[in-house]
Amino acid sequence: MTGPAHRALTSDGVTEETAKALRAAMQRLFAGKPQRTDGRLTKQNLWREAGVSRATMNRAQTILAEWDDHLAQHGCATPGEARRDDEIRELRRKLTEKTCECTTLQRRLEAAATAIVALHHDNTLLRQELAASGGSVIPLHRPRGPVGEDTR
């Protein structure tokens, strides 16, 4: 039988059992260890995690104020979401760094290709000029034979 002692409201505006259930649910959600919900930090998950009705949770004004204060200080991200967000930030930083590196290398590659094309063009012109003048190329070094042999 439920007597008046069991129905007495705490300073939270709900019964002692409900206050304990809501605070335990709050701690589970803040710790990222939900038992009955997906773990998002929403009031809907709070009352579901606590196993009470939404109307009952809404009467617990002190507990809701604690909930709002915690979210204001720590944000709405669960520990898992915070880790994910940190990892995304780090991956974006690395991607930006690698993109800059690739851009620098692409510019160097284009400069090298331009230099190679210019050298090839100059070489072709020199070969044409040499062929037109009837000249011949004389090597600066003579090939050497085995040691002790005179190649003259």
Side-chain angles (χ1 to χ4, degrees):
M1 192 180 259
T2 318
H6 289 80
R7 291 309 221 183
L9 299 181
T10 64
S11 61
D12 296 322
V14 291
T15 64
E16 191 171 325
E17 290 174 3
T18 301
K20 284 180 183 178
L22 284 166
R23 284 208 166 83
M26 247 188 346
Q27 293 309 314
R28 286 194 305 274
L29 288 171
F30 292 154
K33 299 178 180 179
Q35 295 175 350
R36 300 176 180 160
T37 64
D38 61 7
R40 288 180 297 128
L41 299 180
T42 62
K43 288 182 180 175
Q44 181 172 342
N45 279 351
L46 177 60
W47 63 263
R48 286 185 175 169
E49 189 69 30
V52 299
S53 71
R54 183 173 186 93
T56 300
M57 177 197 70
N58 286 337
R59 285 192 299 274
Q61 292 300 311
T62 305
I63 294 172
L64 289 178
E66 291 171 18
W67 173 267
D68 291 337
D69 287 344
H70 184 277
L71 292 184
Q73 290 177 357
H74 299 96
C76 294
T78 63
E81 290 170 334
R83 282 190 301 274
R84 179 204 62 207
D85 292 345
D86 289 343
E87 185 177 349
I88 288 171
R89 270 191 293 280
E90 178 64 16
L91 290 172
R92 283 187 176 147
R93 184 194 64 75
K94 286 180 180 178
L95 177 62
T96 300
E97 183 180 299
K98 293 299 180 187
T99 301
C100 288
E101 185 180 330
C102 286
T103 301
T104 300
L105 291 174
Q106 182 66 34
R107 287 180 182 153
R108 286 182 183 172
L109 178 64
E110 289 170 3
T114 302
I116 290 168
V117 167
L119 289 171
H120 176 70
H121 180 70
D122 289 348
N123 191 21
T124 301
L125 290 177
L126 287 171
R127 285 179 190 269
Q128 289 172 355
E129 185 181 317
L130 183 63
S133 69
S136 61
V137 177
I138 301 172
L140 296 176
H141 297 95
R142 291 187 173 193
R144 294 186 182 177
V147 178
E149 284 186 27
D150 190 11
T151 57
R152 290 187 227 179

